[in-house]
Coordinates of all heavy atoms in Angstrom, one line a residue:
E52 N 102.5 97.8 53.0 CA 103.3 98.5 54.1 C 102.8 97.9 55.4 O 101.7 97.5 55.6 CB 103.1 100.0 54.0 CG 101.7 100.5 54.4 CD 101.6 102.0 54.3 OE1 102.1 102.6 53.4 OE2 100.9 102.6 55.2
L53 N 103.8 98.0 56.4 CA 103.6 97.5 57.7 C 104.0 98.7 58.6 O 105.2 99.1 58.6 CB 104.4 96.3 58.0 CG 104.4 95.8 59.5 CD1 103.0 95.3 59.9 CD2 105.4 94.7 59.6
E54 N 103.1 99.2 59.4 CA 103.4 100.2 60.4 C 103.5 99.7 61.8 O 102.6 98.9 62.2 CB 102.4 101.3 60.3 CG 102.7 102.5 61.2 CD 101.8 103.7 61.0 OE1 101.1 103.8 59.9 OE2 101.8 104.6 61.9
L55 N 104.6 100.0 62.4 CA 104.9 99.5 63.8 C 104.6 100.7 64.7 O 105.2 101.7 64.7 CB 106.3 99.1 64.0 CG 106.8 98.0 62.9 CD1 108.3 97.8 63.0 CD2 106.0 96.7 63.2
V56 N 103.6 100.5 65.6 CA 103.1 101.6 66.5 C 104.0 101.6 67.7 O 104.2 100.6 68.4 CB 101.6 101.3 66.9 CG1 101.2 102.4 67.9 CG2 100.7 101.3 65.7
A57 N 104.6 102.8 67.9 CA 105.5 103.0 69.1 C 104.8 102.9 70.4 O 103.6 103.2 70.5 CB 106.2 104.4 68.9
D58 N 105.6 102.5 71.4 CA 105.0 102.5 72.8 C 104.4 103.8 73.1 O 105.1 104.9 72.9 CB 106.2 102.1 73.8 CG 106.5 100.7 73.8 OD1 105.7 99.9 73.3 OD2 107.5 100.3 74.4
G59 N 103.3 103.9 73.7 CA 102.6 105.1 74.1 C 101.7 105.7 73.0 O 100.9 106.5 73.4
N60 N 101.9 105.3 71.8 CA 101.0 105.8 70.7 C 99.7 104.9 70.7 O 99.8 103.7 71.1 CB 101.7 105.7 69.4 CG 102.7 106.8 69.2 OD1 102.8 107.7 70.1 ND2 103.5 106.8 68.1
T61 N 98.7 105.5 70.2 CA 97.4 104.8 70.2 C 97.0 104.3 68.9 O 95.9 103.6 68.7 CB 96.3 105.7 70.8 OG1 96.2 106.9 70.0 CG2 96.6 106.1 72.3
G62 N 97.7 104.7 67.8 CA 97.3 104.2 66.5 C 98.3 104.6 65.4 O 99.4 104.9 65.7
F63 N 97.8 104.6 64.2 CA 98.7 104.8 63.0 C 98.9 106.3 62.8 O 98.2 107.1 63.3 CB 98.0 104.2 61.8 CG 97.9 102.7 61.8 CD1 96.6 102.1 62.0 CD2 99.0 101.9 61.8 CE1 96.5 100.8 62.1 CE2 98.8 100.5 61.9 CZ 97.6 99.9 62.0
D64 N 100.0 106.5 62.0 CA 100.3 107.9 61.6 C 100.6 108.8 62.7 O 100.2 110.0 62.7 CB 99.3 108.5 60.6 CG 99.3 107.8 59.3 OD1 100.3 107.3 58.8 OD2 98.1 107.6 58.7
Q65 N 101.3 108.3 63.8 CA 101.7 109.2 64.9 C 103.2 109.2 65.0 O 103.9 108.3 64.6 CB 101.1 108.6 66.2 CG 99.6 108.7 66.3 CD 99.0 108.1 67.5 OE1 99.8 107.6 68.4 NE2 97.7 108.3 67.7
N66 N 103.7 110.4 65.4 CA 105.2 110.5 65.6 C 105.8 109.4 66.4 O 105.2 109.0 67.4 CB 105.5 111.9 66.2 CG 105.2 113.1 65.2 OD1 105.1 112.9 64.0 ND2 104.9 114.2 65.8
G67 N 106.9 108.9 65.9 CA 107.6 107.9 66.6 C 107.3 106.5 66.1 O 108.0 105.5 66.4
N68 N 106.3 106.4 65.3 CA 105.9 105.1 64.6 C 107.0 104.8 63.5 O 107.5 105.7 62.9 CB 104.5 105.1 64.0 CG 103.5 105.0 65.1 OD1 103.7 104.9 66.3 ND2 102.2 105.1 64.6
W69 N 107.1 103.5 63.2 CA 108.0 103.1 62.1 C 107.2 102.4 61.1 O 106.1 101.9 61.4 CB 109.1 102.1 62.6 CG 110.2 102.8 63.4 CD1 110.1 103.2 64.7 CD2 111.4 103.2 63.0 NE1 111.2 103.8 65.1 CE2 112.1 103.8 64.1 CE3 112.1 103.1 61.8 CZ2 113.4 104.3 64.0 CZ3 113.4 103.5 61.6 CH2 114.0 104.2 62.7
R70 N 107.6 102.5 59.8 CA 106.9 101.9 58.7 C 107.9 101.2 57.8 O 109.0 101.8 57.4 CB 106.1 103.0 58.0 CG 105.4 102.5 56.7 CD 104.4 103.6 56.2 NE 105.2 104.6 55.5 CZ 104.6 105.6 54.9 NH1 103.3 105.7 54.9 NH2 105.3 106.5 54.3
I71 N 107.5 100.0 57.4 CA 108.3 99.2 56.4 C 107.4 99.0 55.2 O 106.2 98.6 55.4 CB 108.7 97.9 56.9 CG1 109.5 98.0 58.2 CG2 109.4 97.0 55.9 CD1 109.8 96.7 59.0
R72 N 107.8 99.5 54.0 CA 107.0 99.4 52.9 C 107.7 99.0 51.6 O 109.0 99.2 51.6 CB 106.2 100.7 52.6 CG 107.0 101.9 52.3 CD 106.2 103.1 52.2 NE 107.0 104.2 51.8 CZ 107.3 104.6 50.6 NH1 106.8 104.0 49.6 NH2 108.1 105.7 50.4
I73 N 107.0 98.6 50.6 CA 107.6 98.4 49.3 C 107.1 99.6 48.4 O 105.8 99.7 48.2 CB 107.3 97.0 48.7 CG1 107.8 96.0 49.7 CG2 107.7 96.9 47.3 CD1 107.8 94.6 49.3
D74 N 107.9 100.4 47.8 CA 107.5 101.5 47.1 C 107.1 101.1 45.7 O 107.2 99.9 45.3 CB 108.5 102.7 47.1 CG 109.8 102.4 46.4 OD1 109.8 101.4 45.7 OD2 110.7 103.2 46.5
S75 N 106.7 102.1 44.8 CA 106.2 101.8 43.5 C 107.3 101.2 42.6 O 107.1 100.6 41.5 CB 105.6 103.0 42.9 OG 106.6 104.1 42.8
S76 N 108.6 101.4 42.9 CA 109.7 100.9 42.2 C 110.1 99.5 42.6 O 111.0 98.9 42.0 CB 110.9 101.8 42.3 OG 110.7 103.1 41.9
G77 N 109.4 99.0 43.7 CA 109.7 97.7 44.2 C 110.8 97.7 45.3 O 111.3 96.6 45.7
D78 N 111.3 98.9 45.7 CA 112.3 99.0 46.7 C 111.7 98.8 48.1 O 110.6 99.2 48.3 CB 113.0 100.4 46.6 CG 113.8 100.6 45.3 OD1 114.0 99.6 44.6 OD2 114.0 101.8 45.0
L79 N 112.5 98.2 49.0 CA 112.1 98.1 50.4 C 112.6 99.4 51.1 O 113.7 99.8 51.0 CB 112.8 96.9 51.0 CG 112.5 96.7 52.5 CD1 111.0 96.3 52.7 CD2 113.4 95.5 53.0
V80 N 111.6 100.1 51.7 CA 111.9 101.4 52.4 C 111.5 101.3 53.9 O 110.4 100.8 54.2 CB 111.1 102.5 51.7 CG1 111.4 103.8 52.4 CG2 111.4 102.6 50.2
I81 N 112.4 101.8 54.7 CA 112.1 101.9 56.2 C 112.1 103.3 56.5 O 113.0 104.1 56.2 CB 113.2 101.1 57.0 CG1 113.2 99.6 56.7 CG2 112.9 101.3 58.5 CD1 114.2 98.8 57.4
E82 N 110.9 103.7 57.2 CA 110.7 105.2 57.5 C 110.3 105.3 59.0 O 109.7 104.3 59.6 CB 109.6 105.7 56.6 CG 109.9 105.6 55.1 CD 108.7 105.9 54.3 OE1 107.7 105.4 54.5 OE2 108.9 106.7 53.3
V83 N 110.5 106.5 59.5 CA 110.0 106.8 60.8 C 109.1 108.0 60.7 O 109.4 108.9 59.9 CB 111.2 107.0 61.9 CG1 112.0 108.2 61.5 CG2 110.6 107.1 63.3
R84 N 108.1 108.1 61.5 CA 107.2 109.3 61.5 C 107.8 110.3 62.4 O 108.0 110.1 63.6 CB 105.8 108.8 62.0 CG 104.7 109.9 61.9 CD 104.2 110.0 60.6 NE 103.0 110.9 60.6 CZ 102.3 111.2 59.5 NH1 102.6 110.6 58.4 NH2 101.3 112.0 59.5
D85 N 108.0 111.5 61.9 CA 108.7 112.6 62.7 C 108.0 113.9 62.3 O 108.0 114.2 61.1 CB 110.2 112.6 62.4 CG 110.9 113.6 63.3 OD1 110.5 113.8 64.4 OD2 111.9 114.1 62.8
S86 N 107.6 114.7 63.2 CA 106.9 116.0 63.0 C 105.8 115.9 61.9 O 105.7 116.8 61.1 CB 108.0 117.0 62.6 OG 108.9 117.2 63.6
G87 N 105.1 114.8 61.9 CA 103.9 114.7 61.0 C 104.2 114.2 59.6 O 103.3 114.1 58.8
T88 N 105.5 113.8 59.4 CA 105.9 113.3 58.0 C 106.7 112.1 58.2 O 107.3 111.8 59.2 CB 106.6 114.4 57.2 OG1 107.8 114.7 57.9 CG2 105.9 115.6 57.0
W89 N 106.6 111.2 57.1 CA 107.5 110.0 57.1 C 108.8 110.3 56.6 O 109.0 110.9 55.5 CB 106.8 108.9 56.2 CG 105.6 108.4 56.9 CD1 104.3 108.7 56.5 CD2 105.5 107.5 57.9 NE1 103.4 107.9 57.3 CE2 104.2 107.2 58.2 CE3 106.5 106.8 58.7 CZ2 103.7 106.4 59.2 CZ3 106.1 106.0 59.7 CH2 104.7 105.8 60.0
T90 N 109.9 110.0 57.3 CA 111.3 110.3 57.0 C 112.0 109.0 56.7 O 112.0 108.1 57.6 CB 112.0 111.1 58.1 OG1 111.2 112.2 58.4 CG2 113.4 111.4 57.7
Q91 N 112.6 108.8 55.5 CA 113.3 107.6 55.2 C 114.5 107.4 56.0 O 115.3 108.3 56.2 CB 113.6 107.7 53.7 CG 114.3 106.5 53.2 CD 114.6 106.5 51.7 OE1 113.8 106.8 50.9 NE2 115.9 106.3 51.4
Q92 N 114.7 106.2 56.5 CA 115.8 105.8 57.3 C 116.8 104.9 56.5 O 117.9 104.9 56.8 CB 115.4 105.2 58.6 CG 114.5 106.1 59.5 CD 115.2 107.3 59.9 OE1 116.3 107.2 60.6 NE2 114.7 108.5 59.6
A93 N 116.2 104.1 55.7 CA 117.0 103.1 54.9 C 116.2 102.7 53.6 O 114.9 102.8 53.6 CB 117.3 101.9 55.7

Side-chain angles (χ1 to χ4, degrees):
E52 70 181 39
L53 172 65
E54 186 170 339
L55 306 169
V56 177
D58 283 341
N60 285 355
T61 57
F63 296 109
D64 292 325
Q65 295 181 352
N66 290 337
N68 288 356
W69 286 80
R70 178 169 74 176
I71 302 169
R72 66 183 180 90
I73 299 186
D74 69 7
S75 60
S76 301
D78 296 344
L79 179 66
V80 181
I81 297 177
E82 301 168 312
V83 66
R84 185 83 171 180
D85 185 35
S86 300
T88 60
W89 289 104
T90 304
Q91 181 177 306
Q92 301 296 304

